[in-house]
Amino acid sequence: MKALKLTAVTLLAASLFSAAALAAQPAFVTQEATGEAAIVAGNRDKAKRDAKNNALREAVERVAGVMVSADTLSANSQLISDRVFANSAGYVRKYEVLKEEEANGVVRTTVRAEVGTAELDKDLQSVQALVNRLGNRKLVIVLQEQSADANKVVMSSGVMAQVLTDAFKADGWRILDPAFAAGKLELASGVSLGTPDKKVIQDLNRADYVLAGTVNFRHQSVADLPGLGKDASIYPVTGEWDLAVFATDSGTQIAKLSGKFNSTPADLGPKGSALISYERTSFDIAKYRGKEVVAEVRKAVVEHLSRAEQNGNAVVMTVVGLPDYAAVQGFKRVLAESVTGMRDVKPGSFGSGKAQFDVTFVGSTDELAEQLGGKSFKGKRVSVTGVSGNTVELTLAK
């Protein structure tokens, strides 16, 4: 299937269609397209639905390819393609199934669809809003910073944290105070995040992402630098950072950032200097090199969202009312084989009738809850008794 690729720059161009360009489009475009889906565990009904939906999505993508210029489509953002076309049925006024066939365990469906150009154009215009949404994500910055003077006296420092906070705010992020978003994030003498425990980090559900790690600034004595006298008016600093970005929806590390710095023009930037104080040198280094951190975090978040849109979001599902382990395995099979959009199901802990599953679902937590609510399993009705962030709680009762 063809993927439409857009960057943040071309997204704005795509979203700002002129009135004349829109008026040139007919109210709807008729398009034929074909979609396929594999039959899993003999579930032909699900395969037929998926094949039809894939065909409708292909029809919508082809129409959009006519509406948007080739230049706009030439850049790279799979995320936007999936975001715009995730609900292709919303653009289809009506459709006709022309052919449906099954061969080698695959259902192949061909449709003729009438795609409304106004609805599609509206969503293309919402691309800019999506770009803004990426920037409005909630972030917690937890850094252990130390600054050691020339006499090796270690002091706490908040230079990099402040620089990054200001930079991310300017980029549209919402920065949460670690105490406000405490959850189970523990801070001791250092950053206790370490290797993430999926269930622990998921409790920190007020933030979308956590940027955590260590930053060290070391003041250098001018006497130790070649070619400078001990009375030289210069305040050189060296050091390094070691940072990690965690996505709280899955508890996974999505980026690892590290770097070294010193008082060179490459680290200070054109407006920085080492001629005022050690504190000012540290600030100028953090401000200039901090741009790299902001760019890398933004890139990691976009890639994380892109993978989630394409491959599914991590959801922790708790099911109350499963009497034994055989029932747990049976419920796992039902999830894997019957829920549209379900990519993976892994059972977790089980005891006292309560089971936990780590699932990967293409769609939102609310959409997953809507699919499951009111269903039945072995004579018991499935009730959705809790939805929060990336968690769903189900209760089975007669």
Side-chain angles (χ1 to χ4, degrees):
M1 183 179 296
K2 179 183 68 176
L4 302 185
K5 299 182 177 181
L6 309 166
T7 61
V9 175
T10 55
L11 295 178
L12 182 57
S15 65
L16 299 178
F17 286 115
S18 67
L22 181 58
Q25 295 290 341
F28 63 87
V29 175
T30 301
Q31 180 68 56
E32 292 186 9
T34 300
E36 297 180 348
I39 301 172
V40 179
N43 194 336
R44 286 179 170 78
D45 290 339
K46 182 175 182 295
K48 289 179 180 179
R49 290 196 303 270
D50 290 346
K52 180 198 69 178
N53 290 337
N54 290 338
L56 293 176
R57 174 170 174 144
E58 175 67 16
V60 171
E61 287 193 20
R62 291 182 181 179
V63 174
V66 175
M67 295 175 61
V68 183
S69 70
D71 289 341
T72 301
L73 298 179
S74 64
N76 182 25
S77 177
Q78 180 66 46
L79 171 63
I80 303 305
S81 171
D82 287 345
R83 178 68 182 179
V84 172
F85 303 119
N87 184 27
S88 296
Y91 312 118
V92 177
R93 294 189 174 189
K94 63 180 181 180
Y95 69 90
E96 176 186 5
V97 176
L98 301 179
K99 183 169 58 176
E100 183 180 87
E101 53 189 359
E102 178 184 329
N104 300 320
V106 175
V107 175
R108 182 180 176 88
T109 302
T110 300
V111 301
R112 180 186 293 121
E114 289 186 3
V115 179
T117 56
E119 294 86 348
L120 182 55
D121 178 73
K122 181 180 178 180
D123 269 11
L124 289 173
Q125 291 185 39
S126 72
V127 164
Q128 182 61 35
L130 174 59
V131 173
N132 292 335
R133 184 179 67 84
L134 297 180
N136 287 329
R137 295 239 153 192
K138 298 184 292 295
L139 175 70
V140 172
I141 299 176
V142 189
L143 303 184
Q144 180 195 10
E145 293 189 49
Q146 292 182 338
S147 180
D149 66 17
N151 296 318
K152 298 184 179 180
V153 176
V154 178
M155 302 164 288
S156 62
S157 171
V159 174
M160 182 65 83
Q162 186 59 54
V163 167
L164 293 180
T165 296
D166 293 342
F168 278 111
K169 282 183 177 179
D171 201 37
W173 291 67
R174 181 183 175 191
I175 308 300
L176 301 185
D177 184 86
F180 173 77
K184 288 192 176 181
L185 177 67
E186 299 177 358
L187 302 178
S189 58
V191 178
S192 304
L193 216 49
T195 302
D197 179 347
K198 186 171 186 177
K199 305 306 182 298
V200 170
I201 293 180
Q202 283 168 336
D203 287 342
L204 196 118
N205 56 18
R206 293 190 178 186
D208 298 303
Y209 300 94
V210 177
L211 174 62
T214 60
V215 182
N216 296 309
F217 295 96
R218 286 184 292 274
H219 304 172
Q220 291 182 288
S221 171
V222 293
D224 297 333
L225 298 178
L228 294 176
K230 64 179 181 180
D231 296 326
S233 298
I234 184 172
Y235 302 92
V237 171
T238 186
E240 63 279 324
W241 69 68
D242 188 12
L243 309 175
V245 184
F246 297 87
T248 60
D249 64 354
S250 59
T252 56
Q253 178 179 296
I254 63 173
K256 182 71 172 177
L257 316 173
S258 61
K260 296 183 178 181
F261 51 81
N262 53 44
S263 305
T264 63
D267 292 305
L268 287 166
K271 297 182 179 180
S273 72
L275 301 176
I276 300 176
S277 66
Y278 286 117
E279 290 73 20
R280 181 54 184 266
T281 303
S282 299
F283 177 82
D284 286 344
I285 291 174
K287 185 175 183 179
Y288 188 66
R289 294 293 302 277
K291 296 177 182 178
E292 298 177 17
V293 178
V294 175
E296 287 298 318
V297 172
R298 186 192 303 112
K299 177 182 177 183
V301 168
V302 170
E303 291 178 349
H304 173 73
L305 291 174
S306 179
R307 288 192 298 269
E309 291 281 349
Q310 297 176 58
N311 303 322
N313 293 292
V315 178
V316 176
M317 179 183 296
T318 301
V319 183
V320 179
L322 295 172
D324 51 37
Y325 190 68
V328 173
Q329 293 299 311
F331 196 82
K332 172 191 172 183
R333 287 192 293 271
V334 170
L335 290 174
E337 298 171 4
S338 302
V339 176
T340 301
M342 188 67 69
R343 290 291 177 85
D344 188 32
V345 181
K346 295 180 180 178
S349 60
F350 171 67
S352 302
K354 180 184 291 188
Q356 194 167 66
F357 299 89
D358 293 329
V359 307
T360 303
F361 176 72
V362 180
S364 68
T365 307
D366 289 336
E367 290 170 341
L368 176 59
E370 288 176 3
Q371 280 204 54
L372 295 171
K375 303 292 184 182
S376 61
F377 175 72
K378 293 188 174 180
K380 293 184 177 181
R381 181 180 176 84
V382 179
S383 298
V384 179
T385 50
V387 178
S388 175
N390 70 311
T391 65
V392 174
E393 181 180 273
L394 307 177
T395 299
L396 308 183
K398 293 185 178 180

